[in-house]
Amino acid sequence: ADAPARETSARAHAASSLAAVLAGAATWGLSAASPLVAWPIDTSPLAARGAFVLAFGWVAAEVLTLAWLTRGASPVRLGGSALVAAAARAAIAVLRSPPSPPSIALVAAILLAGGSSAGALVGSRIQHPGHLGVVAVVSSVADIVSVFHESGPTAQLAESTPWLSLFAIGAPMLGTSDVPPLLGVGDVVMAALYATAAARFALPEKRTWMALTGGRASAMVAVLVREIALPALPFLGLAMVVAHPE
């Protein structure tokens, strides 16, 4: 029985690693192609909102794909990936120049692989489905404080584009060369955590993915309405609690 389990784990780990690399490569390609598209982002508010929706949707799809793929990987593999990704990100922080399409793409691949691995590792260690409610509350409060308190980590990072781009995944805004950071590594971690924990306790898969997708979509709509940066984890946590009240 151990051999099939190891094979499944290896396949899940290989698939998630490949997906992270492909996501980074796709981000690089889109960054190069985006300025070539005639899109009136500077003259039409509707076009600007459309560009944001496309960019946010792209990043959200990357995050959810990695969350789904990492569910079956073993804790040892997940821990190794998280450590390698953390080391690579630290090296980039020391060596890299200001944000550029190649570095943004590389950071995206690292954050997707490392964040998903870390989240799945923690999710595999949760002992009871009821603990997900506690996780949702704690992560939501922490995210709110991080974003809105002047000394919060996210608020501090937001004041420095180079540093923010090290901890957030971006996507190109259609018609421009801009690749704004849209979702932080914490959002990657929590998506994988919820997906892995839900699979661990055999919670209804359809409701889990509706919650993860709906949480991202509601966060995007809130940003469009308020036109300011907002913490995404409260939307994700609330969606999971509503989907799995048990």
Side-chain angles (χ1 to χ4, degrees):
D2 288 342
R6 285 196 297 270
E7 183 177 351
T8 299
S9 171
R11 287 178 177 175
H13 186 262
S16 62
S17 299
L18 177 60
V21 172
L22 292 177
T27 298
W28 190 351
L30 290 173
S31 300
S34 180
L36 305 178
V37 178
W39 190 258
I41 189 171
D42 294 325
T43 59
S44 169
L46 183 60
R49 288 173 178 263
F52 172 78
V53 169
L54 290 174
F56 191 96
W58 171 260
V59 175
E62 291 177 325
V63 172
L64 293 179
T65 299
L66 265 293
W68 182 73
L69 290 174
T70 52
R71 294 176 305 162
S74 71
V76 173
R77 293 178 185 273
L78 292 170
S81 293
L83 288 174
V84 170
R89 188 175 63 189
I92 291 175
V94 173
L95 299 174
R96 81 186 188 96
S97 57
S100 63
S103 65
I104 290 171
L106 180 58
V107 168
I110 291 171
L111 293 182
L112 285 167
S116 295
S117 296
L121 178 61
V122 176
S124 69
R125 291 292 187 259
I126 291 179
Q127 298 300 311
H128 189 276
H131 294 167
L132 288 177
V134 178
V135 170
V137 172
V138 172
S139 64
S140 297
V141 171
D143 202 22
I144 291 171
V145 172
S146 179
V147 171
F148 290 125
H149 195 281
E150 60 182 13
S151 62
T154 302
Q156 293 290 314
L157 286 172
E159 296 180 359
S160 171
T161 300
W163 278 106
L164 180 60
S165 65
L166 277 176
F167 294 92
I169 301 171
M173 295 289 282
L174 190 63
T176 76
S177 58
D178 294 336
V179 186
L182 295 169
L183 285 176
V185 65
D187 300 295
V188 182
V189 170
M190 293 308 300
L193 185 156
Y194 286 134
T196 299
R200 171 179 168 81
F201 298 115
L203 299 179
E205 191 173 75
K206 184 177 180 179
R207 279 193 276 162
T208 297
W209 294 107
M210 287 179 64
L212 293 177
T213 303
R216 293 284 181 238
S218 59
M220 180 187 69
V221 171
V223 170
L224 285 171
V225 172
R226 296 294 305 279
E227 297 185 346
I228 61 172
L230 295 172
L233 294 186
F235 296 95
L236 195 62
L238 178 61
M240 282 296 295
V241 170
V242 170
H244 300 297
E246 62 273 25

